């Protein structure tokens, strides 16, 4: 996190302790929370009946046909929410309006709902390319991963895996072009032999970015790669 982001976060917590705030979504009184109780309850939580590999809904939580036909490099995925209104507004407020309070709230939701057992050997937020990180000032995946790392006591790595190519933003591309766009975008300089790595990201759409990152991690010895994502975009 940049110095400016840390200062803003400290100031925000200080003000929240003495000045009650309004819900980010409906503007009702929310006390010291980002959302009021009603809006928190209304967030679009993902059904537990999902493919254990890619987190798309399936009957009886069976592995979906796509993952059976073409298994991705990652081993499992769990998500808290469906990527739809109003959860999408919270994610956008974090990424594009720099509302780091959203990261605190959403990161705690990931830690509360998706805490791994046993704890992984390493927690890895999906890296941003250097130009994108400089432009944004922070990595939203890192901010979401912090509460999870604290809750399970696993080390949080932000140095040894990098996104060395500044690719076209995945959200701007058709689904079928995303795997090609992200190919060979990551590099790793740590030996992960035998390690179980937990990858954290904000939104999973096609899974192309997570698949390419898992490919890189396994090429460097990772035994198992699991994803924890805030929200899963559904095909419909």
């Amino acid at each position: 996190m940049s110095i400016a982001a840390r200062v803003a976060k400290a100031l925000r917590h200080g003000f929240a302790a003495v000045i009650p705030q309004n819900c980010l979504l409906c503007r009702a009184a929310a006390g010291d929370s980002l959302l009021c109780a009603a809006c928190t309850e209304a967030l679009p939580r993902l059904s537990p009946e999902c493919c254990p590999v890619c987190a798309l809904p399936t009957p009886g939580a069976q592995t979906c046909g796509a993952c059976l036909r073409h298994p991705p490099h990652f081993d499992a995925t769990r998500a808290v929410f469906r990527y739809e209104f109003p959860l999408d507004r919270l994610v956008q407020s974090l990424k594009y309006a720099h509302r780091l309070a959203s990261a605190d709230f959403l990161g705690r939701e990931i830690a509360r709902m998706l805490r791994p057992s046993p704890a992984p050997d390493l927690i890895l937020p999906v890296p941003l390319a250097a130009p994108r990180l400089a432009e944004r000032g922070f990595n939203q995946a890192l901010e979401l991963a912090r509460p999870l790392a604290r809750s399970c006591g696993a080390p949080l790595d932000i140095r040894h895996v990098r996104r060395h190519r500044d690719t076209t933003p995945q959200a701007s591309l058709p689904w079928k072009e995303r795997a090609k766009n992200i190919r060979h975008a990551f590099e790793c300089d740590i030996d992960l032999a035998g390690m179980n790595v937990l990858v954290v990201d904000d939104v999973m759409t096609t899974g192309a970015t997570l698949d390419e990152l898992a490919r890189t991690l396994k090429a460097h010895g990772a035994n198992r790669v699991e994803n924890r994502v805030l929200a899963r975009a559904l095909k419909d």
Side-chain angles (χ1 to χ4, degrees), residues 21-94:
Q21 64 182 9
N22 293 332
C23 173
L24 180 63
L25 295 176
C26 74
R27 311 309 299 169
D32 61 354
S33 180
L34 181 74
L35 304 183
C36 67
C39 285
T40 300
E41 181 66 24
L43 289 175
R45 297 188 181 274
L46 189 67
S47 166
E49 290 201 350
C50 292
C51 171
V53 180
C54 72
L56 285 177
T58 56
Q62 299 179 43
T63 302
C64 71
C67 288
L68 289 173
R69 290 190 300 272
H70 304 288
H73 292 92
F74 52 78
D75 299 281
T77 301
R78 293 184 62 197
V80 184
F81 300 107
R82 304 186 304 274
Y83 189 61
E84 59 188 50
F85 182 85
L87 192 278
D88 55 353
R89 300 296 191 270
L90 297 182
V91 173
Q92 291 161 15
S93 76
L94 168 61

Side-chain angles (χ1 to χ4, degrees), residues 130-153:
R132 193 76 50 82
L133 181 61
E135 176 185 347
R136 189 169 294 170
F138 66 97
N139 180 353
Q140 71 278 359
L142 171 58
E143 301 310 314
L144 293 172
R146 292 185 191 278
L148 183 60
R150 288 194 298 266
S151 71
C152 67

